[in-house]
Coordinates of all heavy atoms in Angstrom, one line a residue:
Chain Y
E27 N 78.7 99.1 80.8 CA 77.5 98.3 80.4 C 77.6 96.9 81.0 O 78.7 96.4 81.4 CB 77.3 98.3 78.9 CG 78.4 97.5 78.2 CD 78.2 97.5 76.7 OE1 77.8 98.6 76.1 OE2 78.6 96.6 76.0
V31 N 78.9 88.2 80.7 CA 79.3 87.4 81.9 C 78.6 87.7 83.1 O 78.5 89.0 83.6 CB 80.8 87.5 82.2 CG1 81.2 86.4 83.1 CG2 81.6 87.3 80.9
I37 N 83.7 98.3 81.4 CA 84.0 99.7 81.6 C 84.3 100.2 80.3 O 85.3 100.0 79.8 CB 85.0 100.0 82.7 CG1 84.6 99.1 83.9 CG2 85.1 101.4 82.9 CD1 85.7 99.4 85.0
P39 N 85.3 103.2 77.3 CA 86.4 104.1 77.3 C 86.1 105.5 78.0 O 87.0 105.9 78.8 CB 86.7 104.4 75.8 CG 86.2 103.1 75.1 CD 85.1 102.7 76.0
E46 N 90.7 106.3 85.3 CA 92.1 106.6 85.1 C 92.6 107.8 85.8 O 93.6 107.9 86.5 CB 92.6 106.7 83.7 CG 92.8 105.4 82.9 CD 93.1 105.4 81.5 OE1 92.5 106.3 80.8 OE2 94.2 104.9 81.1
K57 N 101.8 107.5 96.9 CA 103.4 107.6 96.8 C 103.9 108.7 97.7 O 104.9 108.7 98.3 CB 103.8 107.7 95.4 CG 103.7 106.4 94.8 CD 103.9 106.3 93.2 CE 103.8 105.0 92.6 NZ 103.6 104.9 91.2
N63 N 104.0 100.5 94.8 CA 103.1 99.6 94.3 C 103.8 98.1 94.1 O 105.0 98.3 93.9 CB 102.6 100.1 93.0 CG 101.5 101.2 93.2 OD1 100.7 101.2 94.1 ND2 101.5 102.1 92.2
A64 N 103.1 97.1 94.2 CA 103.6 95.8 93.7 C 102.4 95.0 93.2 O 101.4 95.5 93.1 CB 104.1 95.2 95.1
Y65 N 102.7 93.7 92.9 CA 101.6 92.9 92.5 C 101.6 91.5 93.0 O 102.8 90.8 92.9 CB 101.6 93.0 90.8 CG 100.4 92.3 90.3 CD1 99.2 93.0 90.3 CD2 100.5 91.0 89.8 CE1 98.0 92.2 89.9 CE2 99.3 90.3 89.5 CZ 98.1 91.0 89.5 OH 96.9 90.3 89.0
P67 N 99.6 87.5 93.4 CA 98.8 86.6 92.5 C 97.3 86.9 92.6 O 96.7 87.1 93.6 CB 99.2 85.2 92.9 CG 100.5 85.3 93.4 CD 100.5 86.8 94.1
L68 N 96.5 86.5 91.5 CA 95.1 86.6 91.4 C 94.4 85.4 92.2 O 93.4 85.5 92.9 CB 94.7 86.3 89.9 CG 93.3 86.1 89.6 CD1 92.5 87.4 89.7 CD2 93.1 85.7 88.1
F69 N 95.1 84.3 92.4 CA 94.6 83.2 92.9 C 95.2 83.0 94.4 O 96.3 83.3 94.6 CB 95.0 81.9 92.1 CG 94.5 81.8 90.8 CD1 95.3 81.6 89.7 CD2 93.0 82.1 90.5 CE1 94.8 81.6 88.4 CE2 92.6 82.1 89.2 CZ 93.4 81.9 88.1
K72 N 93.2 77.3 98.7 CA 92.2 77.2 99.6 C 92.9 77.1 101.1 O 92.3 77.9 102.0 CB 91.3 75.9 99.4 CG 90.1 75.9 100.3 CD 89.1 74.9 99.8 CE 89.6 73.5 100.1 NZ 89.8 73.1 101.6
E76 N 91.9 80.0 104.0 CA 91.3 79.6 105.3 C 92.1 79.9 106.5 O 91.6 79.8 107.6 CB 90.6 78.3 105.2 CG 91.7 77.2 105.3 CD 91.1 75.8 104.8 OE1 89.8 75.7 104.6 OE2 91.8 74.9 104.9
A86 N 83.8 83.4 102.3 CA 83.6 82.1 101.7 C 82.4 82.0 100.8 O 82.2 81.2 99.9 CB 83.5 81.0 102.8
C89 N 82.7 83.3 96.6 CA 83.9 83.1 96.0 C 83.9 82.4 94.6 O 83.3 81.4 94.6 CB 84.9 82.2 96.9 SG 85.5 83.1 98.2
I91 N 85.7 79.9 92.4 CA 86.6 78.9 92.6 C 87.1 78.1 91.4 O 86.4 77.6 90.6 CB 86.1 77.8 93.6 CG1 85.5 78.6 94.9 CG2 87.1 76.8 94.0 CD1 84.5 77.8 95.7
V92 N 88.5 78.1 91.3 CA 89.0 77.4 90.1 C 89.3 75.9 90.6 O 90.1 75.8 91.5 CB 90.4 78.1 89.6 CG1 90.9 77.2 88.5 CG2 90.0 79.5 89.2
T93 N 88.9 75.0 89.7 CA 89.0 73.6 90.2 C 89.7 72.8 89.1 O 90.3 71.8 89.4 CB 87.7 72.9 90.3 OG1 86.9 73.0 89.1 CG2 86.9 73.5 91.5
H94 N 89.8 73.4 87.8 CA 90.4 72.6 86.7 C 91.3 73.5 85.9 O 91.2 74.7 85.9 CB 89.3 72.0 85.8 CG 88.6 70.9 86.5 ND1 87.7 71.2 87.4 CD2 88.6 69.5 86.4 CE1 87.1 70.0 87.8 NE2 87.7 69.0 87.1
Y95 N 92.1 72.9 85.2 CA 93.1 73.7 84.3 C 93.2 73.3 82.9 O 94.2 73.8 82.2 CB 94.5 73.8 85.1 CG 95.2 72.4 85.2 CD1 95.9 71.8 84.0 CD2 95.0 71.5 86.2 CE1 96.5 70.6 84.1 CE2 95.6 70.3 86.3 CZ 96.3 69.9 85.2 OH 96.9 68.6 85.2
R96 N 92.2 72.7 82.4 CA 92.2 72.3 81.0 C 91.0 72.2 80.5 O 90.1 71.5 81.1 CB 93.2 71.2 80.8 CG 93.5 70.9 79.3 CD 94.7 69.8 79.3 NE 94.4 68.7 79.9 CZ 95.3 67.8 80.7 NH1 96.6 68.2 80.9 NH2 94.9 66.7 81.2
L97 N 90.7 72.4 79.0 CA 89.5 72.0 78.4 C 89.9 71.0 77.4 O 91.0 70.9 77.0 CB 88.9 73.2 77.7 CG 88.2 74.2 78.5 CD1 87.9 75.5 77.8 CD2 86.9 73.8 79.3
K106 N 83.0 71.5 70.1 CA 82.7 72.0 71.5 C 83.7 71.5 72.5 O 84.4 70.6 72.2 CB 81.3 71.4 71.9 CG 80.1 71.9 71.0 CD 79.7 73.3 71.4 CE 78.8 73.9 70.3 NZ 78.5 75.3 70.6
L107 N 83.9 72.2 73.5 CA 84.9 71.9 74.5 C 84.1 71.6 75.9 O 83.1 72.1 76.2 CB 85.8 73.1 74.7 CG 86.6 73.5 73.5 CD1 87.3 74.9 73.7 CD2 87.7 72.5 73.2
I128 N 97.1 86.1 100.7 CA 98.1 86.0 99.8 C 99.4 86.9 100.1 O 100.5 86.6 100.1 CB 97.9 86.0 98.3 CG1 99.0 85.6 97.4 CG2 97.3 87.5 97.8 CD1 99.3 84.2 97.1
W136 N 109.4 88.4 103.9 CA 110.0 89.8 103.8 C 110.4 90.4 105.1 O 111.2 91.4 105.1 CB 109.0 90.6 103.0 CG 108.9 90.2 101.7 CD1 109.4 89.2 101.0 CD2 108.1 91.1 100.7 NE1 108.9 89.1 99.7 CE2 108.1 90.3 99.5 CE3 107.4 92.1 100.7 CZ2 107.5 90.7 98.3 CZ3 106.7 92.5 99.5 CH2 106.8 91.8 98.3
N152 N 92.2 93.6 90.0 CA 90.9 93.2 90.0 C 90.6 92.1 91.1 O 91.4 91.4 91.4 CB 90.5 92.6 88.6 CG 91.5 91.5 88.2 OD1 92.5 91.3 88.8 ND2 91.2 90.6 87.3
M158 N 75.0 88.1 94.3 CA 73.9 87.6 93.6 C 73.1 88.7 92.8 O 72.6 88.5 91.7 CB 72.9 86.8 94.6 CG 73.5 85.5 94.9 SD 73.6 84.4 93.3 CE 74.9 83.3 93.7
E168 N 83.0 91.1 89.5 CA 84.4 91.5 89.4 C 84.4 93.1 89.6 O 83.6 93.8 88.9 CB 85.0 91.1 87.9 CG 86.5 91.5 87.9 CD 87.0 91.4 86.4 OE1 86.2 91.4 85.5 OE2 88.2 91.6 86.3
Chain R
E27 N 109.5 87.3 92.8 CA 109.8 86.0 93.5 C 108.6 85.2 93.3 O 107.6 85.5 92.9 CB 110.0 86.3 95.0 CG 108.8 86.7 95.7 CD 109.2 87.0 97.3 OE1 110.2 87.3 97.6 OE2 108.2 86.7 98.1
V31 N 101.6 80.3 95.2 CA 100.6 79.7 94.3 C 101.3 79.2 93.1 O 102.2 80.1 92.4 CB 99.6 80.9 93.8 CG1 98.4 80.3 93.0 CG2 99.2 81.7 94.9
I37 N 105.4 90.4 92.0 CA 106.2 91.3 91.5 C 106.4 92.3 92.6 O 105.6 93.0 93.2 CB 105.5 92.1 90.2 CG1 105.2 91.1 89.2 CG2 106.5 93.1 89.7 CD1 104.5 91.6 88.0
P39 N 108.2 95.5 94.8 CA 108.1 97.0 94.6 C 109.3 97.5 93.5 O 108.9 98.2 92.7 CB 108.2 97.6 95.8 CG 107.7 96.6 96.8 CD 108.1 95.3 96.3
E46 N 106.0 100.0 85.9 CA 105.1 101.1 85.8 C 105.7 102.2 84.9 O 105.0 102.9 84.1 CB 105.1 101.8 87.2 CG 103.9 101.2 88.1 CD 103.9 101.9 89.4 OE1 105.1 102.2 90.1 OE2 102.8 102.2 89.8
K57 N 98.0 106.2 73.3 CA 97.1 107.3 73.3 C 97.4 108.2 72.2 O 96.5 108.8 71.4 CB 97.0 107.9 74.6 CG 96.1 107.2 75.5 CD 96.2 107.8 77.0 CE 95.2 106.7 77.8 NZ 95.4 106.9 79.2
N63 N 91.7 103.5 76.6 CA 91.7 102.3 77.4 C 90.2 102.0 77.8 O 89.4 102.9 78.0 CB 92.5 102.6 78.7 CG 93.9 102.6 78.3 OD1 94.4 101.9 77.4 ND2 94.8 103.3 79.2
A64 N 90.0 100.6 78.1 CA 88.7 100.2 78.6 C 89.0 99.1 79.4 O 90.1 98.6 79.6 CB 87.8 100.0 77.5
Y65 N 87.9 98.4 80.0 CA 88.2 97.2 80.9 C 86.9 96.2 80.6 O 85.9 96.5 80.6 CB 88.3 97.6 82.3 CG 88.7 96.2 83.1 CD1 90.0 95.9 83.1 CD2 87.7 95.5 83.8 CE1 90.4 94.7 83.6 CE2 88.1 94.4 84.5 CZ 89.6 94.1 84.3 OH 89.8 92.9 85.1
P67 N 85.6 92.0 81.2 CA 85.6 91.0 82.3 C 86.7 89.9 82.3 O 87.2 89.5 81.2 CB 84.3 90.3 82.1 CG 83.4 91.2 81.5 CD 84.3 92.0 80.5
L68 N 87.1 89.6 83.5 CA 88.2 88.5 83.6 C 87.7 87.2 83.2 O 88.6 86.4 82.8 CB 88.4 88.5 85.2 CG 89.3 87.4 85.7 CD1 90.8 87.5 85.4 CD2 89.2 87.3 87.3
F69 N 86.3 86.9 83.3 CA 85.9 85.6 82.9 C 85.4 85.5 81.6 O 84.7 86.6 81.1 CB 84.8 85.1 83.9 CG 85.4 85.0 85.3 CD1 84.7 85.7 86.4 CD2 86.5 84.3 85.7 CE1 85.1 85.7 87.7 CE2 86.9 84.2 87.0 CZ 86.3 85.0 87.9
K72 N 82.2 79.4 78.9 CA 82.8 78.5 78.0 C 82.3 78.5 76.6 O 82.9 78.6 75.5 CB 82.5 77.1 78.5 CG 83.1 75.9 77.8 CD 83.2 74.7 78.5 CE 81.8 74.1 78.5 NZ 81.3 73.6 77.1
E76 N 84.6 79.3 73.2 CA 84.8 78.3 72.0 C 84.2 78.8 70.6 O 84.3 78.1 69.6 CB 84.1 76.9 72.4 CG 82.6 76.9 72.5 CD 82.0 75.6 73.2 OE1 82.8 74.8 73.7 OE2 80.9 75.5 73.2
A86 N 92.9 76.0 74.8 CA 92.1 75.0 75.6 C 92.9 74.3 76.6 O 92.5 74.1 77.8 CB 91.3 74.1 74.7
C89 N 94.0 76.5 80.4 CA 93.0 77.4 80.9 C 92.7 77.1 82.4 O 92.4 75.9 82.8 CB 91.7 77.1 80.2 SG 91.7 77.9 78.6
I91 N 89.9 77.2 85.1 CA 88.5 77.1 84.9 C 87.7 77.2 86.3 O 87.9 76.5 87.2 CB 88.1 75.7 84.2 CG1 88.8 75.5 82.9 CG2 86.5 75.7 83.9 CD1 88.9 74.2 82.4
V92 N 86.8 78.2 86.4 CA 86.0 78.4 87.4 C 84.8 77.6 87.3 O 84.0 77.7 86.2 CB 85.6 79.8 87.6 CG1 84.6 80.0 88.8 CG2 86.9 80.8 87.8
T93 N 84.4 76.7 88.3 CA 83.3 75.8 88.2 C 82.3 76.0 89.4 O 81.2 75.7 89.3 CB 83.7 74.2 88.4 OG1 84.5 74.2 89.6 CG2 84.6 73.9 87.1
H94 N 82.8 76.7 90.4 CA 81.9 76.9 91.7 C 82.0 78.3 92.1 O 82.9 79.0 91.8 CB 82.2 75.9 92.8 CG 82.0 74.5 92.4 ND1 82.7 73.8 91.4 CD2 80.9 73.6 92.8 CE1 82.2 72.5 91.4 NE2 81.1 72.4 92.2
Y95 N 81.1 78.7 92.9 CA 81.1 80.1 93.4 C 80.9 80.2 94.9 O 80.5 81.3 95.4 CB 80.0 80.9 92.7 CG 78.5 80.4 92.8 CD1 77.7 80.9 94.0 CD2 78.0 79.6 92.0 CE1 76.6 80.4 94.1 CE2 76.7 79.1 92.1 CZ 75.9 79.5 93.1 OH 74.7 79.1 93.4
R96 N 81.1 79.1 95.6 CA 80.9 79.3 97.0 C 81.7 78.1 97.9 O 81.8 77.0 97.3 CB 79.5 79.1 97.4 CG 79.1 79.5 98.9 CD 77.5 79.7 99.1 NE 76.8 78.5 98.7 CZ 75.6 78.4 98.1 NH1 75.1 79.6 97.7 NH2 75.1 77.3 97.8
L97 N 82.2 78.5 99.0 CA 82.7 77.5 99.8 C 81.9 77.4 101.0 O 81.0 78.1 101.4 CB 84.1 78.1 100.4 CG 85.3 78.2 99.4 CD1 86.5 79.0 100.0 CD2 85.9 76.7 99.0
K106 N 87.8 74.3 108.7 CA 88.2 74.1 107.3 C 87.0 74.3 106.4 O 85.9 74.3 106.7 CB 88.7 72.6 107.2 CG 90.0 72.4 107.9 CD 91.2 73.1 107.4 CE 92.4 72.8 108.3 NZ 93.5 73.6 107.9
L107 N 87.4 74.8 105.1 CA 86.4 74.9 104.2 C 86.5 74.0 103.0 O 87.6 73.5 102.6 CB 86.6 76.3 103.6 CG 86.2 77.6 104.6 CD1 86.9 78.9 104.0 CD2 84.9 77.8 105.0
W136 N 78.3 97.3 69.8 CA 79.0 98.7 69.6 C 79.1 99.2 68.1 O 79.3 100.4 67.9 CB 80.4 98.9 70.3 CG 80.3 98.6 71.6 CD1 79.3 98.5 72.5 CD2 81.5 98.8 72.6 NE1 79.7 98.4 73.9 CE2 81.2 98.6 74.0 CE3 82.9 99.0 72.3 CZ2 82.0 98.7 75.0 CZ3 83.7 99.1 73.5 CH2 83.3 98.9 74.8
N152 N 95.3 91.5 83.8 CA 96.1 90.2 84.0 C 95.4 89.1 83.2 O 94.2 89.2 83.0 CB 95.9 90.0 85.5 CG 94.6 90.0 86.1 OD1 93.7 90.4 85.4 ND2 94.3 89.4 87.2
W156 N 97.8 78.3 81.8 CA 98.2 77.3 82.8 C 99.6 76.5 82.3 O 99.4 75.4 82.0 CB 97.1 76.3 83.2 CG 97.3 75.7 84.5 CD1 97.8 74.5 84.8 CD2 97.0 76.4 85.7 NE1 97.9 74.4 86.3 CE2 97.5 75.6 86.8 CE3 96.6 77.8 86.1 CZ2 97.4 76.0 88.2 CZ3 96.5 78.1 87.4 CH2 96.9 77.1 88.4
M158 N 102.9 74.5 82.3 CA 103.5 73.6 83.2 C 104.9 74.0 83.8 O 105.0 73.7 85.0 CB 103.4 72.2 82.5 CG 102.0 71.5 82.6 SD 101.4 71.4 84.3 CE 99.6 71.5 83.9
E168 N 100.1 83.4 85.7 CA 99.3 84.6 85.6 C 100.5 85.7 85.1 O 101.6 85.7 85.7 CB 98.9 85.1 86.9 CG 98.1 86.4 86.8 CD 97.8 87.0 88.2 OE1 98.5 86.6 89.2 OE2 96.9 88.0 88.3

Side-chain angles (χ1 to χ4, degrees):
Chain Y
E27 65 183 38
V31 192
I37 306 179
E46 279 181 311
K57 283 173 178 160
N63 288 330
Y65 188 77
L68 170 67
F69 300 127
K72 188 169 71 66
E76 67 196 3
C89 283
I91 305 161
V92 176
T93 57
H94 292 74
Y95 59 86
R96 192 166 60 216
L97 292 168
K106 297 286 168 186
L107 297 166
I128 185 79
W136 294 2
N152 54 344
M158 280 301 155
E168 182 193 14
Chain R
E27 64 182 37
V31 191
I37 306 179
E46 278 182 312
K57 282 172 179 160
N63 289 330
Y65 189 76
L68 171 68
F69 299 128
K72 188 169 69 67
E76 67 196 2
C89 284
I91 306 161
V92 176
T93 56
H94 292 75
Y95 60 86
R96 193 167 59 218
L97 293 167
K106 297 285 169 187
L107 297 165
W136 293 4
N152 53 345
W156 208 258
M158 280 302 154
E168 180 192 14

